[in-house]
Amino acid sequence: MAKRPSPPSPPRLVDVAKAAGVSLATASRAMTGSTGVSAELAAHVQAIASQVGYVPNSHARALAGGQASMVGLIVHDVGDPYFGEIARGVLRETESRGYLALISQTERDPRAELARVRALRAHRVNSIVLAGSGYVEASTETDLAAELRSFTASGGRVAVIGRHHLQVDAVLPDNAAGGATLMGHLLGLGHRRLGVLGGPANLTTVEDRLTGLREAFGAAGLDWATVPLEHGDFTREGGAAATARLMRAHPELTAVVALNDPMAVGALSWLLNHGRRVPGEISVAGFDDVPVARDVYPALTTVALPMVGMGKQALELVLKPPAARPRRRRTRHELIVRASTAPPPA
């Protein structure tokens, strides 16, 4: 009986380096997300690795059972209460299932997202939850999308929270509908002279929430072009700075809508420190219902999203076998009316 030919050996890192035209050391740094390699060169090496079917040895060992119980969680900002609540949901679920979570942050830098995914792969993580807004320009996520395709093709699992453009399982917050509900509340109180504090303009979360506000404003027969908008960081400091610009240019406003709660807290602080009565002279509303929203004075009217539940849902998705098509889980939202909003002054 003729002897069967032995199966071809899997591609090695040296094969990737040769095909990419780089040294073995450079190929290693590119695959692990280490410093000393430009984003462009790293993307090139990663693309070649994907083409030849190379899987880092550490990741291959994970697929064989070495570290399959580890889950990577990547968030924009660990100091943002929104991501803290999502992380709580993920960690509750990992602990109940006997998994270990590795958490890292990107500070809303697409290059950092790519590096974190590569680093998690190098650390033998087989499941990744990526939480945080996507980007309005889909091309911003091209390299990340290619990396995730390589990861899932090699057996890895990914779920995202708040991302539209990545073709993986996703949990999608009810951002547009929440914005419409919040605007309906303020219009119902009688406000017509409103201003908006937006987060970074390149985020789809900002775009979606603005879409909801704009559509509700237009549905009331009002002209959105009359609504001033100031973008800033999604932080308390960003909210205060944006409020300063907004109020100096438009002192006649009777309501300020912030697209997340830390910005709204910054708005409250600036207004109160500058002698404005909230809500007697001007109302303030936020978005997300992070824990601090109920503790500030006056307590903050906001749109609640099930942030802990979103983390739990994403973890459940990432631990399920892959489906034929990416799954989408859409959340609910709830308007939480507190003391920071009231009818405008007569």
Side-chain angles (χ1 to χ4, degrees):
M1 181 181 292
K3 185 178 180 182
R4 289 185 179 180
S6 50
S9 58
R12 300 167 300 163
L13 184 58
V14 66
D15 300 319
V16 176
K18 183 177 179 181
V22 300
S23 69
L24 183 60
T26 297
S28 176
R29 288 195 294 271
M31 295 301 296
T32 58
S34 301
T35 58
V37 178
S38 70
E40 294 77 10
L41 182 56
H44 170 65
V45 174
Q46 285 286 317
I48 295 297
S50 179
Q51 290 172 15
V52 304
Y54 171 74
V55 177
N57 286 340
S58 58
H59 186 60
R61 287 196 298 271
L63 298 183
Q67 291 293 337
S69 62
M70 295 177 69
V71 175
L73 172 61
I74 303 172
V75 300
H76 280 178
D77 181 0
V78 294
D80 186 327
Y82 174 84
F83 295 109
E85 291 296 284
I86 287 174
R88 275 210 304 146
V90 171
L91 293 176
R92 281 182 182 176
E93 198 67 13
T94 55
E95 289 166 5
S96 69
R97 294 170 180 254
Y99 284 72
L100 177 66
L102 299 180
I103 303 176
S104 57
Q105 71 173 11
T106 66
E107 297 184 350
R108 300 183 175 88
D109 181 348
R111 295 169 300 179
E113 288 180 340
L114 184 61
R116 301 300 178 268
V117 170
R118 289 175 177 166
L120 287 171
R121 293 186 71 177
H123 282 82
R124 302 184 290 170
V125 171
N126 190 39
S127 302
I128 296 174
V129 173
L130 179 60
S133 175
Y135 301 91
V136 173
E137 292 294 332
S139 60
T140 303
E141 299 174 292
T142 298
D143 291 343
L144 178 62
E147 181 72 20
L148 295 182
R149 284 195 299 271
S150 171
F151 180 54
T152 55
S154 67
R157 294 285 295 117
V158 180
V160 297
I161 299 174
R163 315 286 290 236
H164 299 294
H165 303 311
L166 299 175
Q167 295 304 304
V168 295
D169 291 345
V171 177
L172 300 175
D174 207 11
N175 286 321
T181 297
L182 189 56
M183 179 59 77
H185 166 67
L186 292 169
L187 293 176
L189 290 173
H191 292 281
R192 296 297 182 269
R193 298 192 302 274
L194 304 98
V196 178
L197 309 178
N202 64 331
L203 300 182
T204 54
T205 292
V206 172
E207 184 180 66
D208 291 346
R209 294 179 181 185
L210 283 174
T211 295
L213 294 174
R214 181 173 60 247
E215 290 181 351
F217 201 73
L222 301 170
D223 182 6
W224 178 254
T226 64
V227 178
L229 167 64
E230 285 288 344
H231 288 285
D233 292 337
F234 258 160
T235 61
R236 179 187 180 281
E237 294 75 19
T243 302
R245 296 192 299 271
L246 187 69
M247 297 307 299
R248 286 165 183 159
H250 304 278
E252 76 283 358
L253 296 179
T254 64
V256 171
V257 183
L259 296 191
N260 81 344
D261 287 341
M263 290 192 87
V265 171
L268 276 174
S269 176
W270 189 92
L271 290 165
L272 295 172
N273 285 334
H274 286 78
R276 303 298 292 269
R277 291 181 294 112
V278 179
E281 293 178 59
I282 186 166
S283 290
V284 176
F287 209 113
D288 293 329
D289 195 31
V290 301
V292 72
R294 71 201 70 170
D295 297 325
V296 294
Y297 183 82
L300 188 63
T301 292
T302 186
V303 171
L305 293 175
M307 295 169 290
V308 173
M310 286 155 51
K312 180 177 183 291
Q313 276 191 306
L315 198 279
E316 290 172 345
L317 285 171
V318 85
L319 296 182
K320 288 181 177 181
R325 299 174 62 183
R327 291 169 285 226
R328 296 289 184 263
R329 299 286 186 267
R330 298 185 183 277
T331 74
R332 57 178 175 79
H333 74 275
E334 181 183 1
L335 176 68
I336 307 296
V337 178
R338 297 194 179 101
S340 68
T341 55

